[in-house]
Amino acid sequence: MARSGATSYQGQARGFLLPSLALVLLVFYLPVLYTFYLSFTKYNGLGTPEFVGLDNFAAMFEDSAFLDAVRNTTIWVVGTLVLPVGLGLLVAVLAYGFRGSGWLRLPFLVPYALSGVAVGVIWSFMLGSGGALTQALQFLDLPGSELRWLQDSPLNTVVMVVAAAWQGVGVNALLFTVGLQSIPKEPLEAARIDGATGWRLFTNMTWPLLRPSTTVVVGLSIVNGLKTFDIVQAMTQGGPARSSETLALTMYRDTFVNSDYGLGSAVAIFLSIVTVGASIIYLRRQLSLSSNSLGGGK
Amino acid sequence: MKARKVMAGAAIVLATALVATACGAGSKDAGATTGELAFAHNKPWNFDAFSKVSKQDIDISLKSTQYSGDPYRAFIRQSFRTKESPGLFTWEVSTALDELAEQGVIAETTDLWTEAVDKGYVTDAVRQLYTVNGKQYCTPISVDDWVMFYNKSVFTKYNLTVPTTWDQLMQVAATLKQHGVTPFWNQTKNFSFVFFQTLLAGTDLQLYNDLSTGKAKYTDPRVVAVMNTWLDLQKKGYFNDPGQTDFARDLMREGKIAMAPEGTWFTADAALAGMTMGKDVDMFVIPPVKPGAATPIAIETAPVCVGESSKQKSLGLKFSQWWMSPQGQEPWVKQQGNMPFNTDAEAPTPEMKTLKTKLATGKYEYYNRYFEATPVPIRTVALEQFSAFLTNRGEPTQYLKAIQAAADEYWAGR
C-alpha cells in the first residue's frame, strides 16, 4: 500500500518535471551539442558546415589576440575575486550586528539593480577621454589626469574590473551578511570568553564558519569573471585593437562580426570547458572540506 | 499507472511540439503584389512614414522590424535556413552581397535592373555594384556621395572660402587651428577608415582599388607614405580626440569641429542636430590630394534584398521595383533630404541641387567606400587597427602589418 503510494508520487513528480526538462534539453543542451559539432567545422551561416577537424582549435591557440583575451579573462577572474568578493566581505563584516546596519548596506546594493550595459555606459562617461574622472583630477590638480583609462592596456581591463566591482560589491555583501547571520552565537561567545578578539576571532572562528557563504560567493564570482561580456562590450567593445577583449567577446566577434561560426564555436567550447572545470575543482574542494570539518562519521 | 499516463501524455505533447516546429507551413511564394510586406532592417530611418506613401502609391505597406548591431547579419543568415526568410531586408554590397548571391538565397533582380537602366532611372556604374557573376541581385535604396560637410558660421566668422584644391584645404585647416577651432572630425571604431580612404583614394585611386581586390598590399611603401601623411596631420592637431563618442553632428553644431567627411545622408543628421542646410551647415566636394584627370568621390549604397524562398517574394520584388523608380525615389529623398540616384529625379533641397549639377558637369570618378570595398574579415581587423593607430598616434607599420596578415589569410582562401 504505502510503497505503491510512494512510487506513484515519484512518478507524478517526474511527470511534472518532464516538460521543464524537455524545455531545457531543447533550448540549452541541444544547442550546446550543436556548438560542439560546429567547432570542428568551417561555417559562415549559409550553406552547410564543412568538417575541418581540429583546425579551429589550432588557429585559436596560435592567435596572439586570443592569448591576450585569455590574459584579460584571468585578470577579470582574479579581479572579481579580490575586489567585489573582498570588499563585499569587508562591508558585510563591518556593517554587521548593530542597529540600522541594513541601511548601511543599501547604497552598495543599488548598483546591482542596473544591467551590465547601464553600468558600462555610466562608467564610460566617467572614464572616457576628457570624461568626468579626467576633468575632476585636472580640477583638483591631482596626478593621473593624463592617463587614458579606456585606451591603454592592461589599464583598461583593470578599470573595467573596478566598474564591475562597483556593481558586484552589494550582492556579495548581502550573501556574506546572510552567512554571518546563520553562524551560531555560542562558539563565538565561547571564543570571546577565551580571550579571542578582532582579527584573531575573525580568522579562527568567523571565517571557517562562513564557509557555505564563501563557497557560493567565490564560486559565482569565478564563473561570472570567466564569462564577462556586457560591461566590456558596452565600454570598449574589446578595443582598442582587441587589447581589452575577454574570451566571451572573442567568441562574439568571431561569430557575429566575422561570421566565422566554426572559430567562434571553438572559443565557446574552450570557455565552457574552463568554466565547468574551474567550478568542479573549486566546489569539489570546498564540499570535501565542509564534510571533513563537520566531523567524522556519516 | 497514473504516473505512466502522465509521462506518456507529456511525451506526446513534446513530440507534437517538436514536429510542429520542425515542419511548419510550406513556403511557396504566394504571388501577391499588394498587401503588407515584412521588412527587416538595421537602419535608423523612418520607414513607417514611408510605408504610408507606398500604401497610397502601390498598395503595399511595410511592416518594419529594426535590428541593431552585428547580430543583424547572423539573424538574416539564419533566417534562410527556416521557412521564414524575409520578404524584404537591408544588406550590404560587395563581399556580403557576393556571399548571399552565390548561395542562391536572394532573388535575382536582373530584369528589374535592365528596365531601370534602359529607362535612365539609374546609371550603369551603380548597376556594377549590384552585379555578381554577370547577374544582378537586390536594388538600391540610396546612393550617397561622400563630401565634406562644414560649419558655415565658423567659415563665415573667419572669412574662409570653400577650398577647391588640397593645398587650399590645408590652408583653411591651418587658419582654423590658429583660431583654436579643430578643423576635422575623426572617430575610432566604425568610422576609423574615413581619412584613410580620403587620403589614399585622393593620392592614388588605382592603389586604393587594388587594395580592395587583394592586388596590392597594405605594407606597400605608397600606403605607408599615405599613413605617414595622416600621422602628420594628426600631429599638427587637425583632428579632435578620436576616442570621443559624441556624434559628429553635435560636435559640429557646438563648433568643436569645423569639417567632417560624411555621406550625403548627413543632411538628415544635421537636421536632427538642429542645423539648417545652407544656413548653418553646407558641403563641398573633397579635393584630391594629388590632382588627376578626375576627382575621386567615395560612394556608398544601401541595398534592399528579397529572400529567394520567401513567401512574399513577388511582393518584395514589386516593392523593390517601385523604390528604384522615380515614383519611389522622389518621396524617399524628400523624406531623407539626400541625393536621388535617378538623374531625372528632383533633388529635394537647393544645396543638393547645386551638388547634383556640379557632379553632373565636372569630371568625377566614383569609388566604393572602404567599408563596403573591403571583405568583412579584413575590414574587421582594419577597423580595429585604424582605431589603435588613431588612439596611439605612432609609427603606422605595425598596424599595416596586422591588416596585411588578415588580408593574406583571406585572399589565400580564394
Side-chain angles (χ1 to χ4, degrees), chain A:
Chain A
M1 279 299 195
R3 197 182 290 170
S4 71
T7 38
S8 130
Y9 171 76
Q10 276 185 4
Q12 278 180 2
R14 287 203 192 97
F16 276 109
L17 280 175
L18 212 60
S20 318
L21 184 65
L23 191 68
V24 171
L25 273 174
L26 201 62
V27 168
F28 186 74
Y29 285 101
L30 281 183
V32 170
L33 286 176
Y34 185 62
T35 305
F36 185 68
Y37 158 67
L38 275 185
S39 65
F40 297 104
T41 67
K42 192 169 164 56
Y43 184 50
N44 70 352
L46 302 165
T48 49
E50 184 197 320
F51 189 76
V52 289
L54 292 172
D55 282 1
N56 288 324
F57 291 95
M60 192 173 83
F61 286 112
E62 280 164 14
D63 187 9
S64 65
F66 173 78
L67 299 171
D68 283 343
V70 171
R71 178 204 68 189
N72 288 333
T73 311
T74 312
I75 295 178
W76 271 94
V77 173
V78 171
T80 318
L81 283 174
V82 169
L83 281 179
V85 174
L87 286 178
L89 181 62
L90 190 67
V91 169
V93 167
L94 289 177
Y96 179 73
F98 53 87
R99 274 242 300 263
S101 56
W103 293 103
L104 275 180
R105 282 192 297 271
L106 189 64
F108 291 97
L109 208 48
V110 170
Y112 194 68
L114 298 171
S115 67
V117 174
V119 173
V121 171
I122 294 171
W123 280 82
S124 295
F125 171 73
M126 294 217 286
L127 298 170
S129 26
L133 181 60
T134 307
Q135 290 183 28
L137 289 171
Q138 280 171 346
F139 179 73
L140 295 170
D141 236 352
L142 290 170
S145 59
E146 75 287 350
L147 283 176
R148 302 185 312 169
W149 305 101
L150 291 178
Q151 288 153 308
D152 293 323
S153 163
L155 179 64
N156 45 18
T157 302
V158 171
V159 298
M160 287 195 284
V161 171
V162 171
W166 175 76
Q167 193 192 24
V169 166
V171 74
N172 290 337
L174 188 63
L175 289 169
F176 277 127
T177 305
V178 170
L180 284 171
Q181 283 169 347
S182 66
I183 294 177
K185 303 264 185 307
E186 292 76 25
L188 290 178
E189 279 177 13
R192 272 201 206 97
I193 291 170
D194 285 344
T197 50
W199 181 247
R200 193 99 189 276
L201 181 68
F202 179 76
T203 45
N204 289 13
M205 292 300 299
T206 316
W207 177 248
L209 287 170
L210 212 46
R211 179 161 294 117
S213 289
T214 317
T215 309
V216 170
V217 172
V218 172
L220 284 177
S221 296
I222 292 176
V223 172
N224 283 335
L226 282 167
K227 66 180 173 98
T228 304
F229 179 80
D230 39 10
I231 287 189
V232 182
Q233 177 72 0
M235 288 178 84
T236 62
Q237 289 86 52
R242 306 182 70 181
S243 56
S244 63
E245 219 172 70
T246 60
L247 286 172
L249 268 131
T250 310
M251 173 182 75
Y252 177 86
R253 179 188 178 273
D254 289 333
T255 310
F256 294 104
V257 179
N258 276 348
S259 298
D260 192 345
Y261 288 53
L263 188 59
S265 301
V267 178
I269 295 298
F270 173 75
L271 184 57
S272 305
I273 291 175
V274 170
T275 309
V276 171
S279 310
I280 290 179
I281 293 172
Y282 177 70
L283 286 173
R284 261 231 182 114
R285 185 176 162 275
Q286 287 296 92
L287 294 174
S288 75
L289 273 178
S290 330
S291 65
N292 284 344
S293 67
L294 282 173
K298 277 207 187 140

Side-chain angles (χ1 to χ4, degrees), chain B residues 307-321:
Chain B
E308 173 68 22
S309 61
S310 169
K311 284 182 266 189
Q312 297 192 312
K313 183 175 157 189
S314 302
L315 196 59
L317 286 172
K318 181 91 177 66
F319 194 91
S320 306
Q321 185 186 32

